Amino acid sequence: MRSSIQSGLLLASLAAPAVSAERVLGAYIYARHGDRTAKILGNTQLTDLGYHEVFAAGSYWNKRYVATGSDKQIHGISDPIVVASQVNASAPSDAVLQNSATGFLQGIYPPAHDSANTTLGNGTVVDSPLNGYQLIQLQPIASGSNSESSSWLQGSTGCSKATVSSNNYYTSDSYNEMLKSTSSFYQSLSPVLNRTFSSEDMSFENAYTIYDYLNVGDIHNSSSEFPGKAKYMTDENKVQLLSLASVHEWNLAYNASDEVRAISGAVVLGGILDNFDQLVSTGGKKSILNVQFGSYGTIMSFFGLMDMPAASDSFYGIPDYASSMSFELVTNDTSSDFPSTDDISVRFLFHNATITGSDEPTVFPMFGEKTDLLSYNDFTSRMEQVAITSTSKWCDMCGNTDGSCASSSASSTENKSSSGGSGGISRPVAGVIGAMVTLAVILGLEALFFLVGGFRLAKRSKASPEMATASSVSSDKKA
């Protein structure tokens, strides 16, 4: 009897469908640079601490996505030797951001010791520099160049209407209220600011620049090098400085009533959508791991577009140095090498500051949803509502008519005229590279405008309640 029961249980277990293990099909990592010198002092440079931070962050993502044996290893990715076609990396033409990206990539694909030397035909052995350091090409992004030398997000976007929109914040009631209510706080810091800021510049108008200057000094300078450090850089003042800077920068980066203000984030989201569409359309043969570096302002703008504060008030805050996030394409389908879009989902992870030790990024729901996983079809639908997916769309939103926008406008006019005004010419959109058009090849619509910038902080992983409240109130006002 007992034997028959055991046999029955065995047969039942064999008949039961196997539980599918989740596979990661691809990932898009977006990261902030590491610790750097203060912006206001000029010639902004990545520090040794900053290089260490981004290398540590990259090393974490290596363990998650590249290392053999990881349950989150990207399906088909090469380990330990990089395959160039599998990885795409980019950063603006900016020393801090590009050097950060280089350090980060060294963490993702560290030196390959097995290929550290080469034997030539004549028997000569050539040792590889840096013990087998692997080279990953870094694509420069023209837009947003020198963004770490700019103290203001829109200063490097080149978007005319975005500049106007952000400037409107300075005439809003919420801004003027903050300017008045914080006046005494900033003036109280005069003893540690007066060597760099004039009295009239010590105000909420320069909230980020002041925070950045004092934060860098607090990290790098001893009390003897930073007179007044112990008295003025108290924990309470640090929280207040970050909270006010976060309110200020959030409102410059995003406004729910004026979508053009978040143009830099919209461009990044367009790039993510484009990459995933290419990856899916090629069955996982196109850039399965993407890495992009950018500024805190750009990150805040796409946090706004993705409604991330609905998941946590911490998304109102300025992300710390070396913060990183990832969009993962995942599936439970094991019936084919690459599944259909109906069997693919997207997950979003974020970690504020460098990922070290046993730290793990946190999974957050996107677009105000309650679930951590969003179906790929829903993800693309929501992204298309807020992302910039073509040059012409960027030009239309920004009101720019020069440069590539001039050729884009001329090409659109020509195509409309030749088609009798029917408007039947397709534009390059996310997921379509080199789109076939009906009458002619549209010129000048190839460049996606990726914008990036800066980060900061040491211990604070989320904005204070006061900051979150002030930010949520002010960001709802139309500037």
Side-chain angles (χ1 to χ4, degrees), residues 221-241:
N221 297 333
S222 64
S223 296
S224 60
E225 297 169 315
F226 187 178
K229 176 178 178 178
K231 180 177 181 180
Y232 294 99
M233 293 307 292
T234 62
D235 289 343
E236 181 181 359
N237 280 354
K238 291 176 187 178
V239 170
Q240 183 77 336
L241 285 164

Side-chain angles (χ1 to χ4, degrees), residues 142-143 157-159 267 388 390-396 398-413 442-451:
S143 297
T157 65
C159 180
V267 170
I388 297 294
S390 70
T391 300
S392 58
K393 184 175 181 180
W394 187 91
C395 294
D396 289 343
C398 291
N400 289 30
T401 57
D402 57 350
S404 60
C405 289
S407 59
S408 174
S409 177
S411 181
S412 298
T413 302
I442 300 178
L443 301 178
L445 299 183
E446 299 131 88
L448 282 175
F449 296 76
F450 291 173
L451 312 165

Side-chain angles (χ1 to χ4, degrees), residues 122-204:
N122 62 4
T124 302
V125 176
V126 179
D127 291 326
S128 172
L130 303 177
N131 200 24
Y133 167 62
Q134 301 192 70
L135 296 172
I136 299 176
Q137 184 177 5
L138 185 62
Q139 302 289 341
I141 302 171
S143 297
S145 61
N146 299 317
S147 50
E148 280 310 296
S149 296
S150 173
S151 61
W152 183 48
L153 167 67
Q154 304 298 1
S156 60
T157 65
C159 180
S160 302
K161 288 185 178 179
T163 300
V164 172
S165 176
S166 287
N167 276 331
N168 286 341
Y169 173 57
Y170 291 107
T171 62
S172 67
D173 292 340
S174 59
Y175 169 78
N176 285 314
E177 290 168 5
M178 292 294 288
L179 186 67
K180 294 176 182 178
S181 65
T182 61
S183 176
S184 59
F185 169 71
Y186 284 108
Q187 290 299 316
S188 72
L189 300 174
S190 177
V192 290
L193 293 175
N194 56 20
R195 288 185 298 177
T196 306
F197 295 84
S198 64
S199 179
E200 53 268 29
D201 287 335
M202 299 175 197
S203 73
F204 179 67

Side-chain angles (χ1 to χ4, degrees), residues 314-343:
S314 64
F315 285 102
Y316 283 121
I318 294 172
D320 198 357
Y321 291 142
S323 295
S324 56
M325 64 210 72
S326 179
F327 297 81
E328 294 179 347
L329 281 185
V330 299
T331 185
N332 286 322
D333 178 30
T334 57
S335 62
S336 60
D337 187 50
F338 202 90
S340 68
T341 55
D342 292 336
D343 295 314

Side-chain angles (χ1 to χ4, degrees), residues 84-104:
S85 62
Q86 294 182 342
V87 182
N88 182 63
S90 58
S93 301
D94 174 272
V96 173
L97 292 166
Q98 293 221 333
N99 288 340
S100 290
T102 297
F104 189 90

